[in-house]
């Protein structure tokens, strides 16, 4: 397209917070979309200060972006309608801010739309969307899924019942005919289906561009999904139930996505454990609520799900089929893929390496289904039944990465049998200390794994020093955090609130000293509010003062808000592999009181960006907290320095340094 040609498409991007998703969405759009074929209208639906600041910067830097900020939060539907009214291009595309697009995505969507003048609505395929989703195959990433569809899809552009608004290309002349979203649907859900029903009953087509695949996080905007969907579905059914049912039955019978799905079809096996874990978690929630009937219902639902608990079985051949050629292949080996800080570090690295063009993946022996609500995964992990299956069916890789001591022997064996060219040990802790001093044999087993892999990555100077004392060298790459997630939220601080980590069942987390210290603070300053997080059963502990218990916080935005509300954050642990929580709290504007142990010393500087105290000394904890609460100038100085500190700990920087290290290993 020449610069003088008129724009083909207006893109409307409604944004309400979700900064970490917004950044990746905009970056991918700018990278993979020719600037002269679209104009981007960002509708900021009254996002927080930091998110708005980022959007303003993007609009200033890129002439193809216009930013409009709503004076109040009006919701997705009205924001989309306003955005669609701003441009005049023949096509308008609605894009959710938790989407990451792929190379030539828009050109291919337009190719589909222009193939028939009756096509009024076009969706790409994706990993998460009703009716038109194809889950990412194990061992693949969303770029590989897109490349395979681009090269091998039949390009039938099949009709679907209703389009889905996550990435919806619309013909403007058709919108002028039938109208835009009906605002009776409030803040969202079913408005896209309603629009498409108006289109199809008017004679237009709603189709699928079956040669395009984009990533969609989903479940990342609405916190009242079930209630909102139920209310809006009643409105939709009152209008369209009969016609929708007729079209949907025809869609199911025709199965127009069969050929696209066949490209990724794999043999399946029964895998009950994720269902067992999910059921147990649901039952635990009901038990805590004293809902015995709910416990029983959750148990029955879990039993009914068990026979259908199936998992795709990846093979080296299937993974190779979906691996983009000529790219670096990196595979992280975990024992268990669960909700934990060390696992989050691995997932963040794998996601960022994928965005950097690497074929990065994860293999493990167990997967907690909660990880998909907890964070994004740009790849689908490969879950093996046991170590033998992992070794026999490990996909060919350039570098296999051990992530904990009991995976190091597996990685060493993978290099020996030629499944991996090189090995790296990603060390996040001093693992001999996982065992008591008298467990000499277990500690020696850990030490033996350190001898198996020469290339080691550590997060802190402290851990590098510990390894040096044992005779091992390591390359330091400081930990990275998601600074699009952990930043100061627009909240009102009380001036008297303390947030503390409380994990009574975990060794070396300083539970008793923390309780003693906060008891002293409460006696000195009765007006302070004390908030705990980190444990599901804190109520079973004897805590002799009033407090608020947030339990185990798995939603990272919720955790960032807790940090932002706190005036002081206390982590009284006796030991830290790194101390991620202290850094997260700094990023969110809390003044930190931390113990000077382990990896905390990498970033915590006493009197500069935090108050650092010795472990197991509750009086020192209490004095430091009281000092901050009574000295607003000190608190502001610590907070300001904390903001400066965390800038060096971005996970995107960590991924780039990690990629450089991997490249150097292969060059050598």
């Amino acid at each position: 397209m020449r610069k003088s040609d008129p724009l083909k498409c207006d893109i409307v991007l409604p944004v309400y917070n979700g900064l970490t998703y917004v950044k990746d969405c905009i970056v991918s759009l700018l990278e993979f979309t020719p600037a002269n074929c679209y104009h981007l209208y960002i509708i900021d639906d009254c996002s927080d200060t930091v998110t708005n600041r980022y959007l303003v910067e993007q609009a200033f830097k890129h002439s193809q972006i216009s930013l409009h900020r709503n004076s109040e939060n009006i919701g997705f539907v009205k924001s989309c309608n306003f955005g669609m009214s701003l441009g005049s291009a023949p096509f308008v595309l609605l894009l959710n801010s938790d989407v990451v697009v792929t190379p030539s995505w828009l050109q291919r969507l337009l190719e589909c739309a222009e193939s028939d003048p009756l096509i009024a609505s076009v969706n790409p395929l994706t990993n998460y969307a009703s009716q038109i989703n194809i889950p990412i195959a194990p061992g693949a990433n969303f770029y590989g899924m897109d490349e395979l569809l681009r090269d091998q899809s039949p390009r039938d552009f099949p009709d679907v019942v209703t389009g889905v608004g996550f990435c919806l290309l619309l013909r403007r002349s058709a919108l002028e005919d039938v109208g835009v979203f009906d605002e009776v649907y409030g803040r969202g859900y079913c408005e896209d289906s309603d629009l498409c029903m108006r289109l199809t009953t008017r004679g237009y087509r709603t189709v699928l561009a079956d040669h395009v695949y984009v990533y969609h996080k989903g479940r990342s905007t609405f916190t009242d999904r079930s209630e909102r969907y139920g209310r809006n579905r009643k409105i939709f059914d009152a209008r369209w139930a009969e016609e929708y049912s007729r079209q949907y039955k025809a869609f199911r019978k025709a199965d127009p996505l069969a050929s696209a799905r066949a490209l990724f079809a794999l043999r399946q096996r029964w895998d009950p454990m994720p269902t067992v874990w999910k059921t147990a978690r649901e039952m635990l929630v009901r038990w805590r609520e004293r809902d015995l009937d709910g416990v029983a219902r959750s148990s029955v639902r879990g039993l009914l799900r068990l026979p259908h608990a199936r998992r795709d079985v990846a093979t080296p051949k299937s993974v190779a089929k979906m691996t983009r050629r000529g790219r670096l292949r990196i595979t992280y080996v975990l024992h268990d893929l669960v909700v934990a800080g060390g696992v989050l570090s691995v997932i963040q690295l794998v996601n960022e390496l994928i965005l950097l063009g690497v074929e990065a993946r994860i293999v493990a022996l167990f997967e907690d289904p909660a990880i998909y609500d907890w964070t994004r995964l740009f790849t689908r992990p490969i879950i093996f039944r046991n170590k033998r299956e992992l070794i026999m069916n490990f996909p060919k890789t350039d570098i296999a990465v051990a992530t904990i001591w009991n995976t190091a022997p597996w990685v060493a064996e993978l290099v020996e049998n030629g499944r991996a060219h090189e090995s790296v040990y990603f060390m996040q802790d001093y693992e001999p200390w996982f065992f008591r001093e008298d467990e000499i044999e277990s500690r020696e087993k850990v030490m033996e794994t350190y001898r198996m892999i020469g290339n080691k990555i550590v997060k802190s100077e402290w851990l590098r020093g510990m390894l040096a004392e044992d005779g091992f060298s390591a390359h330091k790459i400081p930990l990275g955090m998601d600074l699009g997630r952990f930043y100061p939220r627009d909240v009102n601080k009380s001036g008297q609130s303390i947030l503390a980590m409380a994990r009574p069942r975990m060794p070396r987390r300083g539970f008793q000293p923390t309780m003693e210290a906060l008891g002293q603070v409460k006696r000195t300053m009765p007006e302070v509010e004390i908030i705990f997080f980190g444990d599901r059963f804190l109520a079973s502990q004897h805590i002799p003062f009033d407090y608020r218990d947030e339990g185990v916080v798995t939603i990272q935005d919720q955790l960032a808000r807790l940090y932002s509300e706190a005036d002081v954050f206390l982590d009284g642990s006796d030991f830290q592999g790194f101390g991620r929580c202290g850094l997260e709290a700094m990023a969110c504007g809390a003044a930190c009181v931390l113990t000077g142990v382990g990896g905390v010393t990498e970033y915590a500087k006493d009197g500069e960006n935090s108050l650092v105290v010795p472990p197991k000394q509750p009086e020192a904890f209490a004095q430091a907290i009281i000092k901050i609460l009574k000295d607003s100038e000190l608190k502001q100085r610590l907070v300001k320095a904390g903001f400066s500190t965390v800038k060096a700990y971005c996970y995107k920087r960590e991924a780039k340094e990690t990629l450089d290290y991997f490249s150097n290993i292969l060059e050598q």
Side-chain angles (χ1 to χ4, degrees):
M1 179 183 291
R2 300 182 302 275
K3 281 194 174 183
S4 58
D5 290 341
L7 295 179
K8 279 195 172 184
C9 187
D10 296 316
I11 301 176
V12 177
L13 180 67
V15 173
Y16 178 62
N17 298 330
L19 180 57
T20 189
Y21 305 128
V22 172
K23 286 183 173 181
D24 285 339
C25 177
I26 292 177
V27 167
S28 70
L29 195 154
L30 292 170
E31 181 178 1
F32 296 132
T33 318
N36 60 352
C37 79
Y38 75 98
H39 192 86
L40 174 61
Y41 294 95
I42 301 177
I43 313 301
D44 179 2
D45 196 16
C46 210
S47 297
D48 60 44
T49 302
V50 175
T51 302
N52 177 251
R53 186 184 306 137
Y54 171 78
L55 297 176
V56 169
E57 290 171 356
Q58 296 306 304
F60 179 78
K61 288 165 58 177
H62 303 284
S63 60
Q64 69 271 41
I65 297 179
S66 296
L67 174 64
H68 299 262
R69 180 172 171 85
N70 297 335
S71 59
E72 60 180 353
N73 181 259
I74 62 175
F76 179 79
V77 174
K78 289 184 178 180
S79 292
C80 284
N81 284 347
F82 173 64
M84 287 189 279
S85 73
L86 297 175
S88 58
F91 293 95
V92 57
L93 185 137
L94 304 177
L95 188 66
N96 279 16
S97 60
D98 59 353
V99 169
V100 182
V101 300
T102 47
S104 73
W105 69 290
L106 183 58
Q107 296 97 307
R108 285 179 281 155
L109 290 178
L110 290 168
E111 172 196 353
C112 172
E114 293 174 332
S115 67
D116 181 351
L118 289 178
I119 292 177
S121 162
V122 182
N123 271 127
L125 286 162
T126 187
N127 57 295
Y128 185 82
S130 58
Q131 302 180 37
I132 59 171
N133 68 305
I134 297 181
I136 298 174
N141 59 63
F142 72 98
Y143 287 129
M145 298 285 289
D146 178 66
E147 186 171 282
L148 189 62
L149 284 165
R150 185 192 65 200
D151 295 341
Q152 298 188 29
S153 169
R155 304 196 183 201
D156 294 330
F157 305 152
D159 290 82
V160 295
V161 184
T162 57
V164 186
F166 75 99
C167 180
L168 185 63
L169 181 68
L170 296 163
R171 189 180 295 272
R172 191 177 291 277
S173 60
L175 291 178
E176 292 168 352
D177 184 14
V178 305
V180 291
F181 287 155
D182 190 334
E183 295 180 5
V184 72
Y185 291 101
R187 293 180 174 271
Y189 278 139
C190 299
E191 75 286 340
D192 45 5
S193 299
D194 181 271
L195 172 60
C196 289
M197 291 303 296
R198 282 184 274 140
L199 289 169
T200 56
T201 55
R202 190 78 168 176
Y204 295 105
R205 296 177 61 198
T206 62
V207 306
L208 187 70
D210 54 356
H211 63 327
V212 188
Y213 193 96
V214 301
Y215 177 84
H216 179 215
K217 168 63 174 70
R219 302 178 292 240
S220 58
T221 304
F222 299 143
T223 57
D224 58 345
R225 291 189 295 269
S226 297
E227 177 186 347
R228 186 177 300 189
Y229 177 78
R231 182 176 63 248
N232 285 359
R233 183 60 192 258
K234 289 179 181 178
I235 299 172
F236 178 84
D237 285 344
R239 296 177 174 183
W240 304 108
E242 185 177 344
E243 176 62 20
Y244 177 81
S245 177
R246 184 190 68 77
Q247 290 192 28
Y248 187 67
K249 285 178 181 177
F251 171 79
R252 291 292 299 270
K253 184 177 181 180
D255 194 12
L257 273 64
S259 55
R261 295 188 197 278
L263 293 172
F264 309 100
L266 296 171
R267 181 175 65 84
Q268 293 190 323
R269 64 174 171 87
W270 188 54
D271 184 5
M273 288 310 298
T275 299
V276 171
W277 267 53
K278 182 176 182 179
T279 302
R281 188 177 288 112
E282 291 174 356
M283 292 172 66
L284 179 60
V285 170
R286 299 292 173 261
W287 178 262
R288 290 185 67 192
E289 296 171 349
R290 302 294 188 265
D291 179 5
L292 297 183
D293 289 340
V295 172
R297 287 194 299 271
S298 296
S299 174
V300 171
R301 281 196 299 268
L303 289 172
L304 293 174
R305 286 195 297 255
L306 274 177
H308 309 287
R310 314 292 296 177
R311 178 180 297 281
D312 287 338
V313 178
T315 64
K317 184 177 180 180
S318 72
V319 175
K321 175 183 175 183
M322 287 170 274
T323 298
R324 293 171 294 166
R325 294 182 179 180
R327 295 177 183 270
L328 184 62
R329 299 165 298 178
I330 306 293
T331 306
Y332 282 78
V333 182
L334 287 81
H335 193 282
D336 298 317
L337 190 60
V338 295
V339 177
V343 173
L344 178 62
S345 291
V346 172
I347 291 174
Q348 283 183 168
L349 276 170
V350 168
N351 282 345
E352 287 306 307
L353 288 171
I354 289 170
L355 293 181
L356 290 170
V358 175
E359 287 294 298
R361 57 181 67 95
I362 295 171
V363 304
L365 300 188
F366 173 76
E367 173 188 89
D368 181 351
I371 61 170
Y372 294 97
D373 289 320
W374 178 47
T375 189
R376 287 183 296 181
L377 269 168
F378 291 153
T379 179
R380 187 81 179 196
I382 305 173
I383 307 301
F384 295 107
R385 283 177 290 194
N386 50 49
K387 174 208 166 183
R388 181 177 180 277
E389 186 178 80
L390 184 150
I391 297 296
M392 295 294 294
N393 292 286
F394 193 82
K396 289 286 283 185
T397 192
D398 296 301
I399 298 177
V401 185
T403 57
I404 193 170
W405 71 272
N406 53 14
T407 65
W410 308 348
V411 168
E413 187 173 344
L414 289 166
V415 173
E416 288 176 9
N417 67 20
R419 303 304 304 174
H421 294 306
E422 291 287 348
S423 59
V424 171
Y425 198 156
F426 179 45
M427 308 182 74
Q428 303 190 65
D429 220 326
Y430 188 64
E431 295 160 323
W433 286 2
F434 288 179
F435 302 94
R436 299 190 312 269
E437 290 185 22
D438 60 343
E439 295 180 290
I440 298 172
E441 186 176 341
S442 295
R443 286 191 169 198
E444 180 52 39
K445 281 184 180 179
V446 175
M447 198 61 66
E448 183 60 32
T449 68
Y450 288 6
R451 301 183 184 101
M452 294 178 179
I453 299 175
N455 302 308
K456 297 178 177 66
I457 297 174
V458 296
K459 295 180 178 181
S460 67
E461 199 61 47
W462 167 81
L463 184 51
R464 183 157 66 177
M466 293 292 292
L467 290 171
E469 290 180 13
D470 295 329
F472 303 110
S473 61
H475 181 77
K476 188 182 86 169
I477 301 177
L479 171 141
M481 286 195 316
D482 186 349
L483 299 180
R485 181 88 70 183
F486 293 100
Y487 61 85
R489 304 306 171 100
D490 293 343
V491 297
N492 294 320
K493 291 179 181 284
S494 69
Q496 302 290 322
S497 64
I498 304 165
L499 178 67
M501 173 79 71
R503 290 186 281 185
R505 272 168 292 281
M506 292 192 68
R508 311 185 79 169
R509 291 305 179 189
F511 178 72
Q512 287 304 326
T514 295
M515 295 304 110
E516 292 176 30
L518 293 175
Q520 292 182 37
V521 173
K522 194 73 172 173
R523 288 190 292 273
T524 304
M525 303 178 67
E527 69 277 13
V528 300
E529 180 186 20
I530 295 174
I531 306 158
F532 292 123
F533 74 98
D535 190 85
R536 288 188 171 89
F537 302 100
L538 195 61
S540 65
Q541 303 292 318
H542 175 65
I543 300 176
F545 50 81
D546 293 335
Y547 64 91
R548 189 175 99 215
D549 180 19
E550 293 289 336
V552 176
V553 182
T554 58
I555 300 173
Q556 294 181 72
D557 282 311
Q558 180 184 345
L559 182 56
R561 191 170 186 87
L562 287 175
Y563 287 136
S564 299
E565 291 172 348
D567 295 282
V568 176
F569 171 72
L570 168 66
D571 189 340
S573 297
D574 306 342
F575 166 71
Q576 295 278 18
F578 189 88
R580 173 192 292 272
C581 289
L583 207 57
E584 290 172 348
M586 281 186 187
C588 295
C592 294
V593 175
L594 307 169
T595 48
V597 292
V600 170
T601 57
E602 183 75 13
Y603 65 86
K605 308 301 177 187
D606 185 38
E608 295 181 21
N609 60 13
S610 57
L611 295 186
V612 180
V613 295
K616 303 180 182 180
Q617 295 191 22
E619 191 159 321
F621 294 6
Q623 288 175 354
I625 293 169
I626 293 169
K627 185 176 181 180
I628 292 173
L629 291 176
K630 289 188 173 182
D631 188 342
S632 60
E633 188 175 318
L634 169 64
K635 181 169 67 174
Q636 291 306 314
R637 189 171 74 248
L638 296 179
V639 168
K640 184 177 180 181
F643 288 149
S644 297
T645 298
V646 298
K647 290 178 182 178
Y649 292 91
C650 176
Y651 71 127
K652 292 184 178 289
R653 182 270 315 152
E654 181 189 16
K656 290 177 182 177
E657 291 185 19
T658 301
L659 178 55
D660 289 342
Y661 179 69
F662 289 156
S663 300
N664 288 336
I665 288 173
L666 292 175
E667 287 175 6
Q668 293 170 7

